[in-house]
Amino acid sequence: QVQLVESGGNLVQAGGSLRLSCAASGVVFGSFTMAWFRQAPGKEREFVASISRSGDDRYYADSVKGRFTISRDNYVNTMWLQMNGLKPEDTAVYYCAAGLFTVFSGTDFQGLYDYWGQGTQVTVSS
């Protein structure tokens, strides 16, 4: 049974930092392209960042580029999102996603992902 569990969400002041984790089980983690998405209240879920199976390639939404860093360790079946310089507009539920596609292209398309976590809340106060 595939399971993705996010953790690390919290309430933080603007300008602060958080590190989100996504722990995977029931999968051969290194076979999956991984990504973070987020959904703010009243808005559609949007892409944040993705990372290739090997970790060599990364792709970021323009809104987080230069502030967020995605990483993974296939030996411990975990992905992270380091978030620095947080802004109130980063407030959202953050989801990790796993996809079996092999070509690292179009990774901001939600339909490519096969498995999703339950989400972790990030709240940034002004």
Side-chain angles (χ1 to χ4, degrees):
Q1 182 179 353
V2 177
Q3 192 170 20
L4 301 176
V5 179
E6 303 94 335
S7 62
N10 211 329
L11 170 64
V12 63
Q13 288 189 333
S17 297
L18 281 176
R19 191 190 196 202
L20 305 184
S21 299
C22 173
S25 61
V27 297
V28 179
F29 188 67
S31 298
F32 287 82
T33 297
M34 299 296 295
W36 289 97
F37 289 80
R38 67 186 181 186
Q39 186 167 20
K43 295 187 177 182
E44 294 186 352
R45 189 161 58 187
E46 65 175 7
F47 170 79
V48 176
S50 59
I51 188 166
S52 63
R53 295 179 296 168
S54 66
D56 290 340
D57 297 302
R58 297 171 176 86
Y59 180 58
Y60 297 93
D62 288 342
S63 59
V64 307
K65 202 172 295 183
R67 300 187 298 124
F68 291 10
T69 302
I70 189 171
S71 61
R72 69 187 294 166
D73 186 334
N74 291 344
Y75 290 103
V76 296
N77 291 0
T78 303
M79 172 181 67
W80 298 275
L81 184 68
Q82 178 66 44
M83 306 187 294
N84 299 328
L86 283 162
K87 305 175 181 179
E89 51 264 43
D90 293 319
T91 295
V93 177
Y94 283 71
Y95 299 91
C96 68
L100 272 171
F101 56 98
T102 57
V103 177
F104 193 71
S105 177
T107 58
D108 55 343
F109 178 52
Q110 298 183 42
L112 288 176
Y113 295 89
D114 303 287
Y115 303 103
W116 294 82
Q118 293 301 306
T120 186
Q121 176 70 48
V122 172
T123 303
V124 184
S125 63
S126 57

